[in-house]
Amino acid sequence: MSQLPDNNNWFTEVHTADGSAFSFKLTEKGKLHEEQTPFQKIEIYDTETFGKLMVIDGYVMLTTRDNFLYHEMMSHPALFTHPNPERVLIIGGGDCGTLREVLRHPGVKLAQQVDIDEGVTRASEKYFPELCESNDDSRAELHFVDGLKWVQEAAPGSYDLIIVDSTDPVGPAEGLFSEPFFRDCHNCLAENGMVVQQSESPLYHLPLIKDMYTAMGSAGFVGMQTLPFPQPVYPSGWWSCTMAFKDTALKNVDSKDIASREFREQDSENRPFETLYYTTAIHRGTLDTPPFMKKVLAGLK
Ligand code: SAM
């Protein structure tokens, strides 16, 4: 295709700052749902080759076809790195896909999902029911409040892992990339706690990742490690999440290799559930930071 498709049978997200765009051919049904909530505009489309598509404020959130890449990488690497993750907090994640992956881990005793917008979960229940299949698990709790407020008010030491599955750092999610938020996360994590956050495109948004390292470091985290993974429908087709560690004992060791050293490789290998993308070898491979990223992030761990 040499021209940007512009008729009504296509949904196009234009990545203005990066001079690129991604388009989906829609079925005859086209738009299935549109809703302006108090927080954002939610739209659902029916595409020809990617299944259902969720869009928030004009930005692609997920599709039926490729969301497994994101949801598996947001959850399994961190859950196979913390020594014993029992209490997990998901900030955002209203489509419930990350929650489903977290609950595949039998050792998890509590998984709280805190999304600001109930509309996202209700739309997901209707259009992405497969992502919501664990919502009735007795270990799952769904709360609909601002994640910033939730971590401000959470009791110190109450979580082992915080997964920040947020929208881009504009609108309600802006504060979720800031030092005060990471400070609150640090406070409500137990001593060996971890945070993992979606950290945008390694190709397009490296300055944002660099700022995240600085904010996380100022908040007391160490050993920041960005894990790139493919995500065809997001800007540049390549996305990432960034893990960081609270354990103060780790401050005295070489913080560059914490994510690698703490990886419970054998438990990953023996995982009692199926995955579609995540494997032990892929996890190990993503711990090797590409040189172009290392150059920018060096010295910030
Ligand atoms: N995979 C997606 C991405 O990287 O673009 C994220 C999907 S998930 C649907 C993002 C969720 O973050 C949305 O449901 C949105 O409501 C939620 N969110 C944004 N700001 C929030 C906040 N301050 N507190 C809690 N949830 C928030």
Side-chain angles (χ1 to χ4, degrees):
M1 175 105 22
S2 58
Q3 278 190 319
L4 187 65
D6 61 0
N7 66 45
N8 289 335
N9 287 331
W10 290 82
F11 174 87
T12 296
E13 181 187 325
V14 178
H15 318 130
T16 314
D18 308 295
S20 63
F22 192 87
S23 293
F24 299 89
K25 178 96 160 67
L26 303 178
T27 67
E28 280 177 6
K29 291 184 200 153
K31 192 184 284 194
L32 304 174
H33 179 86
E34 180 176 330
E35 173 186 12
Q36 178 65 53
T37 74
F39 307 101
Q40 52 210 356
K41 183 172 159 190
I42 304 169
E43 294 166 278
I44 309 285
Y45 293 87
D46 196 36
T47 76
E48 274 200 356
T49 56
F50 279 78
K52 306 280 191 303
L53 160 68
M54 181 188 282
V55 175
I56 292 184
D57 285 343
Y59 295 105
V60 169
M61 286 294 117
L62 64 121
T63 74
T64 309
R65 186 176 183 182
D66 76 341
N67 76 79
F68 64 94
L69 298 160
Y70 177 90
H71 290 134
E72 291 186 8
M73 290 304 285
M74 285 295 290
S75 46
H76 303 315
L79 283 154
F80 284 125
T81 301
H82 186 284
N84 183 26
E86 293 185 340
R87 299 159 301 165
V88 180
L89 171 65
I90 301 163
I91 303 280
D95 56 73
C96 306
T98 297
L99 179 67
R100 183 186 67 172
E101 294 307 313
V102 166
L103 289 167
R104 293 194 197 283
H105 292 250
V108 169
K109 293 189 172 151
L110 170 71
Q112 291 178 324
Q113 178 185 289
V114 177
D115 196 293
I116 199 167
D117 194 348
E118 184 168 358
V120 177
T121 300
R122 299 300 161 231
S124 189
E125 283 167 345
K126 185 162 177 193
Y127 297 103
F128 300 89
E130 69 282 8
L131 299 184
C132 299
E133 65 189 24
S134 301
N135 290 8
D136 292 331
D137 189 301
S138 60
R139 301 169 293 160
E141 283 181 17
L142 273 58
H143 300 270
F144 300 106
V145 294
D146 190 337
L148 289 168
K149 193 166 177 291
W150 187 275
V151 291
Q152 267 164 23
E153 294 172 359
S158 44
Y159 298 106
D160 300 310
L161 171 64
I162 299 177
I163 301 177
V164 191
D165 180 359
S166 70
T167 37
D168 299 334
V170 284
E174 197 175 342
L176 299 177
F177 290 75
S178 70
E179 186 191 324
F181 169 69
F182 291 129
R183 215 170 265 290
D184 291 332
C185 288
H186 194 269
N187 185 44
C188 66
L189 280 170
E191 217 26 59
N192 54 0
M194 285 176 61
V195 66
V196 59
Q197 168 140 11
Q198 77 89 1
S199 45
E200 311 276 308
S201 163
L203 192 67
Y204 286 176
H205 307 125
L206 204 44
L208 175 141
I209 298 175
K210 187 179 178 193
D211 289 350
M212 269 180 71
Y213 275 43
T214 305
M216 285 171 155
S218 306
F221 286 100
V222 293
M224 279 67 85
Q225 177 72 44
T226 298
L227 311 179
F229 53 88
Q231 192 65 64
V233 302
Y234 285 172
S236 83
W238 204 29
W239 217 241
S240 71
C241 61
T242 295
M243 304 195 292
F245 298 79
K246 169 164 177 165
D247 198 333
T248 41
L250 294 168
K251 274 192 174 150
N252 300 323
V253 298
D254 186 354
S255 58
K256 281 204 297 295
D257 299 323
I258 296 175
S260 188
R261 233 185 18 247
E262 299 293 306
F263 178 22
R264 290 185 291 105
E265 210 154 346
Q266 207 50 53
D267 291 340
S268 163
E269 199 56 36
N270 298 331
R271 63 191 175 281
F273 52 86
E274 280 184 14
T275 52
L276 296 173
Y277 178 72
Y278 176 89
T279 66
T280 309
I282 284 175
H283 182 155
R284 175 57 66 198
T286 61
L287 294 171
D288 191 14
T289 307
F292 83 94
M293 293 176 67
K294 258 189 199 153
K295 272 184 195 157
V296 174
L297 302 172
L300 292 172
K301 285 189 179 188

